[in-house]
Structure formats: structure tokens, C-alpha cells
Amino acid sequence: MVDLRLMGFAARRQSIAAVAGRYLPPVWYALPVLLVTGSALIIAEPSRALQNPVFFLKMFLLLLAAGVTLVCQLPLSKDPGYWDESESRRRTVRLIGFLSLPLWTAILFAGRWIAYVQN
């Protein structure tokens, strides 16, 4: 939802800060849960995960997506209107949305793809 707002496709009447404030906290709360459950899967079958290149692709994409999300969110913590102040910032935040949505989608596909790649 945040990415759709950043790209200008949804929730146009709401500020970016309002949409981010509503939808980003669950993302940050979910990451530690993913870390715990993912660690349990790795402990259960370490050779399956740690020898799979798709697993490392997924981890890289996850770090990249979290970084892109932080780049969007951090300026909003200091100034809620940061992304709305100039046309260049609006273009930048649109680019962030267009980068972030495919990253999160690729993470989903990589997670499923791990099961089908054998070493």
C-alpha cells in the first residue's frame, strides 16, 4: 500500500506520512518474526538453505528492500511533509515506490523458488 501511494496509484488524498505511519510499523514488527522463523528453518535443515543460491538472493533482496523502505521512512520522521515539498522529491519518492514494489515481489518469488532449487 505504501508503494502504491508513493507511485501515486492509491490513497492520493492522504499524505505519504499518513500512509507510511499506518502501514510501515507492521513491516518492521514482522521482520524480527521472519528472522526467528527463518532461523528455525535453517537450524532444521542447514544444508538445504545455506547451500541454496536462491536463499542468498532472497536475503540480499530483503536487505535491499529494507534499505529502500528506510530511505523513504527516515525523512518522514523528521518532517512529515518531506516528500511533498518539491517536485524533485516527489519524483524521487515515485522512484522509490517503483523500486520497492518489485523488490518485495521478488522476495516472495525467491522464497517460493528456494524449494525448487536443489544443489
Side-chain angles (χ1 to χ4, degrees):
M1 194 63 194
V2 174
D3 291 334
L4 293 175
R5 171 59 186 99
L6 297 178
M7 293 183 287
F9 295 137
R12 290 175 146 181
R13 293 184 181 165
Q14 296 179 25
S15 70
I16 292 172
V19 173
R22 181 175 182 189
Y23 292 105
L24 287 182
V27 170
W28 299 118
Y29 294 136
L31 286 178
V33 173
L34 290 172
L35 179 65
V36 169
T37 58
S39 297
L41 287 172
I42 292 171
I43 290 168
E45 290 185 88
S47 62
R48 181 177 177 199
L50 298 176
Q51 293 177 353
N52 193 325
V54 180
F55 170 77
F56 289 103
L57 172 66
K58 180 183 175 184
M59 294 300 106
F60 173 74
L61 292 172
L62 186 58
L63 288 173
L64 198 58
V68 169
T69 303
L70 271 176
V71 165
C72 172
Q73 188 176 12
L74 286 178
L76 293 175
S77 64
K78 295 175 184 139
D79 178 10
Y82 180 83
W83 293 115
D84 300 315
E85 290 176 359
S86 70
E87 184 58 36
S88 65
R89 287 183 182 170
R90 284 192 287 275
R91 280 193 304 266
T92 301
V93 83
R94 261 186 241 118
L95 177 62
I96 289 171
F98 278 105
L99 288 173
S100 180
L101 190 60
L103 280 173
W104 288 110
T105 304
I107 291 165
L108 291 171
F109 279 100
R112 290 301 309 140
W113 193 18
I114 289 170
Y116 301 104
V117 174
Q118 303 292 328
N119 276 346

